[in-house]
Amino acid sequence: LHPRVRRQRQMCIREVIIQLTLDRLPEQRRKIFEMSRFENMSNNEIAEKLNISVRTVEHHIYLTLLEMKKISFLFFFALFLK
């Protein structure tokens, strides 16, 4: 497989995993993650905007990444069962 095609396929898989994860999240957790990763806001900026503590922002991001890791594992496990 050509390296460019491989990279495109990996990007597509990543996008699917991200979307699957975001679809499963509670609204506030999803919003915090999107602000952090897609809007490039700092944890302090997010905390100020949502009127929550920085620690809460960090915890929500941590939980989202943990969920993403679980979904990635299940996704790749399912691919190898085919």
Side-chain angles (χ1 to χ4, degrees):
L1 207 56
H2 190 275
R4 187 175 188 188
V5 173
R6 185 178 295 138
R7 274 193 304 277
Q8 287 174 333
R9 185 179 289 172
Q10 289 170 344
M11 296 255 319
C12 182
I13 291 170
R14 267 189 235 130
E15 288 173 12
V16 168
I17 290 169
I18 290 168
Q19 195 57 55
L20 284 171
T21 303
L22 294 178
D23 289 348
R24 296 171 45 99
L25 296 177
E27 185 178 343
Q28 183 169 354
R29 191 172 301 158
R30 180 186 45 74
K31 181 185 285 189
I32 289 169
F33 189 79
E34 288 174 344
M35 292 167 83
S36 172
R37 295 309 197 263
F38 304 137
E39 298 175 29
N40 296 317
M41 292 176 69
S42 71
N43 291 353
N44 287 333
E45 291 171 326
I46 296 167
E48 279 183 28
K49 185 167 184 166
L50 299 179
N51 199 28
I52 57 177
S53 73
V54 173
R55 182 69 185 117
T56 299
V57 172
E58 293 168 347
H59 187 65
H60 278 293
I61 292 170
Y62 167 77
L63 291 174
T64 300
L65 293 172
L66 197 60
E67 185 69 18
M68 206 169 282
K69 190 175 186 179
K70 287 180 205 173
I71 290 174
S72 296
F73 175 78
L74 292 173
F75 188 83
F76 287 110
F77 185 73
L79 283 177
F80 287 110
L81 285 180
K82 281 187 166 186

